[in-house]
Amino acid sequence: MAKAKSVFACQNCGSQSPKWLGKCPDCNQWNTYAEEHFEKTTSARGELSLGSREEPTSIGDIDMAEEGRVQSGIGEFDRVLGGGLVPGSVILIGGDPGIGKSTLLLQAVAAVSQRGLTCLYVSGEESQRQIKMRAERLGVDSPKLLVLSETSLERILEHVKKIKPGLLVIDSVQTMFTSTIPSAPGSIAQVRETSGSIIVLAKKTGLTTFLIGHVTKDGAIAGPRLLEHMVDTVLYFEGERGHSFRILRAVKNRFGSTNEIGVFEMKEAGLAEVSNPSEIFLMERPLQVPGSAVVCSIEGTRPILVELQALVCRSFLAVPRRTTIGVDHNRVALLVAVLEKKMGAKLFDQDIFVNVAGGVHVDEPAVDLGVIAAIASSSREAALDPKTVFFGEVGLAGEVRGIAQAETRVKEAGKLGFERCILPASNVAQLKHINYPKLAAVSSIQDCWKLLF
Ligand code: TYD
Ligand code: MG
């Protein structure tokens, strides 16, 4: 059989087909198939492929070279990475245009280079002078920080071989191209090939590498899904337009916990760390307003207090709306059902909106009680006590179940001046030694209602 010389690939998800398709069967997008030619040439990746042959070894005999992590000194950044940079790891970071990816990495790289590690920052989007202008603005300067404006993979690899940096940043994988493939830069084939080569290089030489990736309309990193599997860590840099707060979130991390978040604020002179996010998220909270409840969510290793807002209003639709931002939609539907069945709330003709203030996502069952309290508060037009925090998972029978790390959460609430915590009875039993804030034990939502309304 003759070898096909071209293949059609979806430019959204990377799915391939031998013939053109109008609609991608994988991601259901229309008009995303484009022809990509490939020729059998020796790719840069082939040349680099892990040369040294390994023999199977007993796990006890494997020599653990001291793989010390390198800290950048930017606390929030290091924490999201699981406590610093692991040599040889590849980190993919995605985010909307203009959110601050280049700024964050330039600051991080400058901080690392000041600790004596040679760093190479390659930008395919900005010229050296533009990078310098940004650096001036950020006030970063270090003799060990090298910048390069280049898009050709082959030339970048040459420079890397010559300079032997300890840290490499590729400012956007979508701008890089290799001449071994005829497709245009940014196409799936190019992204796959160039990032593949860089990853192999990183693994082979122990070079820590950051890849910046653009995101698609719906927020996923553009390029082949495969890319996320190939790298060690995937970070997303998010933030609301018009807000100066930015959240760095790990969605995959082979060397640390996911769900860890780092909070930054974009200022005149770059990104500044926010070391006490609870304070920030609660700053503009309206007091004595129905529908607002404070909950505590554990993000990675850190408790964060956030405000949950619910709005319940008369619906004019045949099927009332249930809209949630920052909390799981199905979970809210379940809690609304519990509320109707167990507490006799009439919500079938009401639109329900639930929002987590500050653009945070909470996906722990421990916020259930807060969701229920906020919805009930809005539907009854009765404000909740602003000095109370809610903890607890709610079951289908209306029971309130214990949660993990209750003590950490209670302490965080105390630190921020909350006077009362409503939490599951099973947790209160273990927290007898805490006398501030006041702990109110509940074992069902009926108990909770007695305290609230
Ligand atoms: P940038 O890092 O270029 O975003 P990305 O690489 O994700 O596309 O960030 C650009 C935005 O950040 C721009 O809108 C201006 C803002 N900014 C500041 O507010 N202060 C600064 O010191 C810098 C460098 C940028
Ligand atoms: Mg950029």
Side-chain angles (χ1 to χ4, degrees):
M1 203 178 83
K3 274 225 173 80
K5 289 209 182 64
S6 71
V7 66
F8 290 86
C10 169
Q11 300 300 305
N12 185 49
C13 70
S15 157
Q16 293 185 341
S17 149
K19 60 181 200 314
W20 187 84
L21 298 173
K23 184 184 177 190
C24 173
D26 278 341
C27 66
N28 294 326
Q29 295 290 313
W30 289 91
N31 251 335
T32 52
Y33 269 75
E35 186 170 13
E36 289 181 348
H37 299 274
F38 60 85
E39 287 156 25
K40 268 270 152 264
T41 51
T42 46
S43 73
R45 199 162 155 187
E47 250 168 60
L48 278 168
S49 68
L50 302 164
S52 60
R53 287 254 194 109
E54 278 186 356
E55 295 296 324
T57 314
S58 153
I59 195 157
D61 297 341
I62 298 172
D63 188 26
M64 262 254 292
E66 262 310 303
E67 294 251 321
R69 289 180 187 248
V70 180
Q71 254 103 29
S72 69
I74 303 177
E76 296 287 298
F77 188 71
D78 290 338
R79 201 196 22 255
V80 175
L81 290 170
L85 298 162
V86 176
S89 60
V90 181
I91 301 130
L92 178 65
I93 167 163
D96 288 332
I99 204 80
K101 302 180 293 297
S102 308
T103 309
L104 176 70
L105 282 184
L106 193 61
Q107 281 182 266
V109 170
V112 173
S113 69
Q114 262 155 6
R115 303 191 159 208
L117 201 68
T118 308
C119 302
L120 179 61
Y121 182 99
V122 183
S123 178
E125 298 181 346
E126 288 161 300
S127 67
Q128 278 178 327
R129 193 166 301 164
Q130 280 172 315
I131 303 172
K132 173 71 184 168
M133 269 161 58
R134 188 196 293 265
E136 291 269 284
R137 196 166 157 190
L138 300 173
V140 302
D141 183 25
S142 162
K144 294 252 181 185
L145 170 56
L146 308 173
V147 295
L148 174 69
S149 180
E150 182 61 83
T151 53
S152 153
L153 174 73
E154 285 75 15
R155 266 175 295 190
I156 294 170
L157 294 183
E158 249 170 55
H159 286 297
V160 169
K161 273 182 199 148
K162 209 161 60 201
I163 304 167
K164 297 202 170 53
L167 182 70
L168 173 70
V169 176
I170 302 288
D171 196 344
S172 113
V173 286
Q174 277 82 9
T175 55
M176 301 297 149
F177 76 94
T178 167
S179 50
T180 54
I181 302 183
S183 330
S187 65
I188 293 287
Q190 283 284 5
V191 173
R192 188 172 47 221
E193 194 62 28
T194 50
S195 29
S197 305
I198 294 168
I199 293 169
V200 172
L201 174 80
K203 293 290 161 202
K204 202 175 146 196
T205 61
L207 168 65
T208 311
T209 307
F210 280 97
L211 303 173
I212 296 183
H214 292 171
V215 294
T216 57
K217 271 194 292 254
D218 33 77
I221 292 176
R225 260 283 129 116
L226 203 68
L227 201 56
E228 297 198 12
H229 296 292
M230 286 175 357
V231 299
D232 298 307
T233 303
V234 180
L235 306 178
Y236 277 91
F237 202 37
E238 321 167 320
E240 298 286 319
R241 259 198 200 286
H243 281 284
S244 60
F245 294 109
R246 302 281 184 270
I247 295 175
L248 186 65
R249 182 186 296 280
V251 293
K252 164 181 172 179
N253 195 352
R254 287 190 184 144
F255 308 113
S257 141
T258 53
N259 305 329
E260 196 73 82
I261 66 168
V263 185
F264 296 89
E265 186 180 1
M266 182 62 95
K267 292 197 175 149
E268 268 304 293
L271 291 157
E273 293 178 65
V274 174
S275 37
N276 196 348
S278 299
E279 244 166 55
I280 304 277
F281 293 137
L282 296 179
M283 212 158 54
E284 287 161 298
R285 178 167 66 111
L287 303 177
Q288 303 291 1
V289 171
S292 161
V294 176
V295 296
C296 183
S297 164
I298 300 273
E299 296 283 345
T301 52
R302 197 165 45 160
I304 293 184
L305 291 174
V306 288
E307 184 202 353
L308 263 175
Q309 295 187 318
L311 184 67
V312 177
C313 56
R314 170 83 209 280
S315 179
F316 295 93
L317 302 170
V319 180
R321 237 183 246 273
R322 302 280 185 257
T323 304
T324 68
I325 302 173
V327 276
D328 183 35
H329 186 263
N330 289 327
R331 192 89 205 155
V332 171
L334 184 150
L335 295 171
V336 168
V338 173
L339 207 52
E340 291 208 325
K341 183 91 181 169
K342 297 291 162 193
M343 306 311 300
K346 300 249 176 307
L347 300 169
F348 60 88
D349 58 351
Q350 305 283 322
D351 285 334
I352 299 176
F353 304 91
V354 180
N355 178 35
V356 183
V360 200
H361 295 258
V362 288
D363 50 6
E364 271 191 294
V367 302
D368 288 357
L369 195 61
V371 173
I372 284 214
I375 294 174
S377 151
S378 176
S379 112
R380 293 168 167 237
E381 281 295 319
L384 300 169
D385 171 25
K387 294 266 177 215
T388 296
V389 187
F390 296 88
F391 307 90
E393 177 182 347
V394 175
L396 291 185
E399 81 279 18
V400 178
R401 294 162 178 247
I403 51 166
Q405 305 188 45
E407 184 162 353
T408 323
R409 298 180 208 245
V410 168
K411 282 191 175 148
E412 176 76 4
K415 216 161 71 191
L416 283 149
F418 284 88
E419 288 162 3
R420 182 172 65 159
C421 297
I422 297 189
L423 72 172
S426 60
N427 287 119
V428 175
Q430 300 155 4
L431 296 175
K432 292 234 166 62
H433 54 286
I434 291 185
N435 32 28
Y436 182 84
K438 222 175 89 199
L439 305 180
V442 292
S443 47
S444 65
I445 44 178
Q446 284 89 347
D447 287 354
C448 185
W449 259 227
K450 276 182 214 140
L451 290 173
L452 295 178
F453 306 113

